[in-house]
Amino acid sequence: MSKIEKAKASSSSIKGFKHSKPGLWLSIGTSTFGALGVVKEFRKARSENDTLLLANAVVGAAALLTGTLLLVRELRQLGSDDVLAG
């Protein structure tokens, strides 16, 4: 097997992991971990009365929330597509 074929095989297994339950849970966890940075930026903006930094924190929080909600929806759809679950 050539290096290119090995890379394609490894890439497809990673793509499959991203759409599996463990992969989705991992993505939700990393989004939640990213929320800590947003909270830190939020506190810094409030303490410095920096409106632009506060707006950036709000937009970042909205992006994290939207991304997490999309992952939760995909996780629910993955569960409802399960043939064995009924």
Side-chain angles (χ1 to χ4, degrees):
M1 183 180 276
S2 71
K3 290 182 182 181
I4 294 174
E5 290 171 343
K6 286 181 185 178
K8 285 183 181 178
S10 137
S11 174
S12 65
S13 67
I14 291 172
K15 288 179 184 176
F17 178 74
K18 288 172 73 173
H19 296 288
S20 66
K21 281 189 179 183
L24 290 171
W25 279 111
L26 181 65
S27 296
I28 291 170
T30 55
S31 294
T32 305
F33 187 71
L36 297 176
V38 170
V39 169
K40 182 179 176 183
E41 189 175 13
F42 215 41
R43 287 181 183 166
K44 181 179 178 185
R46 287 185 58 205
S47 69
E48 296 177 0
N49 290 328
D50 188 350
T51 308
L52 189 58
L53 193 58
L54 184 64
N56 188 40
V58 168
V59 170
L64 279 171
L65 179 65
T66 304
T68 303
L69 290 175
L70 286 170
L71 289 167
V72 168
R73 181 178 71 181
E74 191 171 344
L75 187 63
R76 286 184 180 165
Q77 287 176 349
L78 186 67
S80 67
D81 290 344
D82 191 6
V83 176
L84 298 176

